[in-house]
Amino acid sequence: MAAVGSRGTIPEASPFKPEEDVEKLRSAMKGAGTNEATVIEVLAHRTIAQRQRIKEAYKQSIGKDLKDDLIGELTGNFEKVVVGLLMTAPEYDAYELHNAIQGAGTEEAALIDILASRSSEEVRAINNYYKKKFDKSLEDDISSDTSGMFKRVLVSLTTAGRDTTDSVNDAGAAQDAKEIFEAGEARWGTDEVKFLTILCVRNRNHLLKVFDEYKKVSGRDIEDSIKREMSGCLEDVFLAIVKCIRNKPAFFAERLYKSMKGLGTTDSILIRIMVARAEIDMMDIKAEFNKMYGKTLHSFIKGDTSGDYRKILLELCGGDN
C-alpha cells in the first residue's frame, strides 16, 4: 500500500510561509465583503499540518482565532468546508460525530461513515479528542442516542478493538464463514451478535478470506446475505464495514455518488468525505468513481453544486481525471 497521504490531492505547499498566508487571509477579510477566491487559494492548497501552522501564526500576529474570523465572514456550505479544513483529522471526525448525535434526531449516516471506515488507531485518536473537547465519552453519547443491535455495533467499533495484525488463519476463516452462515441464511431469524463478533473484531486480511469462504458455503456474497437478513441502520452499518474492508475508496466513491445523484444533494455527506479524504486517498476515490459510474467525480461535483462551494470542492477533488 502507498504511504498515508501519498494518494491525496493536496500536496504540501512549498515554499510555505505561514506569515504570508496570514497576511493574504487578513486582506481577504478586510473591508466590505470577503475575497473568497483568496480563502480558497490558501486553504485548499495547504495540508492539514500546514493549516494548523497558519492558525497558530494568525493567532500570534492578530490575537484572534482564524476560524472565528472566517465564520464571521462566510456562510452556508462554503463556510462548512472551510471550517472543516481548519481542523486536524481526529478533531474533524469528533466534531462530525458530535453534530450527528446532538442535532434533532441522529444522523446515522455520519456515525456509520466514520466509525466503519477509520482504523483502530484513528478511532482511538477520535475518542481522545472527543473526551477532551466535549467532556463526555463518545461511547456514552452513542449509547444514549442509539438503540438495539445498531448501538452494539457502533459501541464495538468505538472500542477500536479490531485485530491489527495481517495474519490469516485459513481454518479459522472457514469456521467464521460457517458460523455467519449458520447465524443468518441457514436459520429462521438472525443471530446478529455472531455477525458483530466477526465483522467488528477480525483483521482485514482474515475477513477477506472469510468473505471468500462465505461465498463457497452459501453460494452468495456476504453483502447479499446482509441485505436479506437485516434492515435499516443495522443493515447499513454491516454493509459499510464489509465494503470498507473490501475496498475503502470504492465505499467512499459510492457514498459520494449517492449524495449527488437524483433530486437534491446530501451536502453533509459530500462535504464530510471531500474534507476528510482529500489528503488521504482522494486519487483512489476518483479512480473508483470513474470505474463504477463512467463519469468523473469532478464532473459530478461541477454539475451538482455552485458558487464558491463548488470552487473549493473542485480544488479538493483535484483535476478532472
Side-chain angles (χ1 to χ4, degrees), residues 25 35 95 98 130 141-142 144 166 173 222 235 240 265 272 287 305 307 320-321:
L25 290 168
N35 184 343
Y95 169 84
H98 188 255
Y130 197 97
D141 272 358
I142 285 173
S144 59
D166 293 331
I222 189 159
E235 177 190 337
T265 305
R272 182 165 55 246
T305 55
D320 187 12
N321 52 10

Side-chain angles (χ1 to χ4, degrees), residues 162 175-177 179-180 193-203 206-207 210-211:
R162 187 180 296 287
Q175 181 63 28
D176 281 348
E179 287 188 9
I180 292 181
V193 178
K194 188 54 72 182
F195 280 80
L196 184 159
T197 306
I198 293 167
L199 292 177
C200 297
V201 179
R202 308 285 194 261
N203 73 55
H206 181 87
L207 281 172
V210 171
F211 301 160

Side-chain angles (χ1 to χ4, degrees), residues 137-255:
S137 81
L138 174 58
E139 184 185 321
D140 287 350
D141 272 358
I142 285 173
S143 293
S144 59
D145 217 59
T146 54
S147 61
M149 188 50 70
F150 178 56
K151 169 171 97 174
R152 289 170 65 174
V153 174
L154 293 178
V155 166
S156 174
L157 293 172
T158 308
T159 61
R162 187 180 296 287
D163 169 22
T164 49
T165 68
D166 293 331
S167 64
V168 179
N169 173 332
D170 287 352
Q175 181 63 28
D176 281 348
K178 184 165 163 280
E179 287 188 9
I180 292 181
F181 178 64
E182 286 169 359
E185 291 280 0
R187 56 175 276 167
W188 180 253
T190 309
D191 175 8
E192 289 111 346
V193 178
K194 188 54 72 182
F195 280 80
L196 184 159
T197 306
I198 293 167
L199 292 177
C200 297
V201 179
R202 308 285 194 261
N203 73 55
R204 178 171 186 261
N205 287 359
H206 181 87
L207 281 172
L208 290 172
K209 181 77 177 163
V210 171
F211 301 160
D212 288 346
E213 293 292 332
Y214 185 85
K215 186 146 193 185
K216 287 181 201 164
V217 181
S218 72
R220 57 168 58 101
D221 285 330
I222 189 159
E223 290 93 327
D224 294 334
S225 290
I226 289 170
K227 286 174 191 166
R228 287 160 60 102
E229 295 291 317
M230 325 250 178
S231 61
C233 296
L234 186 61
E235 177 190 337
D236 292 342
V237 73
F238 278 137
L239 280 178
I241 293 167
V242 171
K243 287 174 180 178
C244 286
I245 292 288
R246 283 203 198 269
N247 183 338
K248 203 177 285 184
F251 168 74
F252 286 120
E254 183 189 2
R255 298 293 289 140

Side-chain angles (χ1 to χ4, degrees), residues 240-292:
I241 293 167
V242 171
K243 287 174 180 178
C244 286
I245 292 288
R246 283 203 198 269
N247 183 338
K248 203 177 285 184
F251 168 74
F252 286 120
E254 183 189 2
R255 298 293 289 140
L256 285 167
Y257 177 75
K258 286 183 173 167
S259 79
M260 290 182 279
K261 92 174 197 348
L263 285 171
T265 305
T266 313
D267 294 295
S268 56
I269 294 174
L270 176 57
I271 293 168
R272 182 165 55 246
I273 297 174
M274 295 306 294
V275 170
R277 309 312 293 186
E279 216 171 301
I280 300 172
D281 52 3
M282 188 53 69
M283 282 156 73
D284 297 327
I285 292 169
K286 284 165 66 175
E288 292 293 341
F289 193 97
N290 213 336
K291 197 160 81 184
M292 290 157 75

Side-chain angles (χ1 to χ4, degrees), residues 9-14 16 21 37-48 50-51 54 85 311-312 314-316:
T9 45
I10 303 183
E12 215 167 66
S14 176
F16 171 57
D21 286 343
T38 303
V39 174
I40 296 170
E41 179 206 328
V42 175
L43 296 179
H45 296 102
R46 306 289 181 271
T47 61
I48 294 171
Q50 289 177 327
R51 290 183 214 122
I54 294 169
L85 291 175
K311 285 176 191 161
I312 198 163
L314 289 178
E315 292 300 320
L316 297 178

